[in-house]
Amino acid sequence: CPQNNPQVSRTLATCPFNARHRVPRSLLRGHLTSCPDKLPLELPPDPEDMAKTAGDPPQAWQPPPCQEDWDAGEAPAVSPEPLL
């Protein structure tokens, strides 16, 4: 804790991937390469892969056929008796 150990805290660096990782400044570079919280970088898509899929138009989503029929089993409409 920096409040309890200010001298030790000055010698530690904070990992950019996880702020709870406090390592000595001299070991930060090594920690960055092996940090378990390091997210993999997403590389841009390969142009060759894009060319293969560019000719195929995207397919529109089709809903599954409806299994319900709300009109089936409905009682026939009865006209009410007139009020006198």
Side-chain angles (χ1 to χ4, degrees):
C1 177
Q3 290 84 10
N4 293 338
N5 299 308
Q7 294 168 339
V8 174
S9 177
R10 289 186 200 116
T11 64
L12 299 177
T14 304
C15 172
F17 303 117
N18 187 338
R20 292 183 179 183
H21 295 173
R22 301 276 293 177
V23 295
R25 291 186 189 277
S26 60
L27 301 177
L28 180 62
R29 188 173 295 230
H31 173 79
L32 293 178
T33 60
S34 63
C35 179
D37 293 326
K38 182 177 169 181
L39 297 175
L41 294 176
E42 291 187 24
L43 299 175
D46 189 16
E48 288 183 13
D49 291 340
M50 294 299 289
K52 292 176 186 174
T53 59
D56 301 331
Q59 299 293 324
W61 180 79
Q62 296 293 323
C66 183
Q67 302 294 326
E68 296 179 336
D69 185 5
W70 287 26
D71 296 327
E74 193 173 294
V78 177
S79 57
E81 296 180 21
L83 295 173
L84 296 174

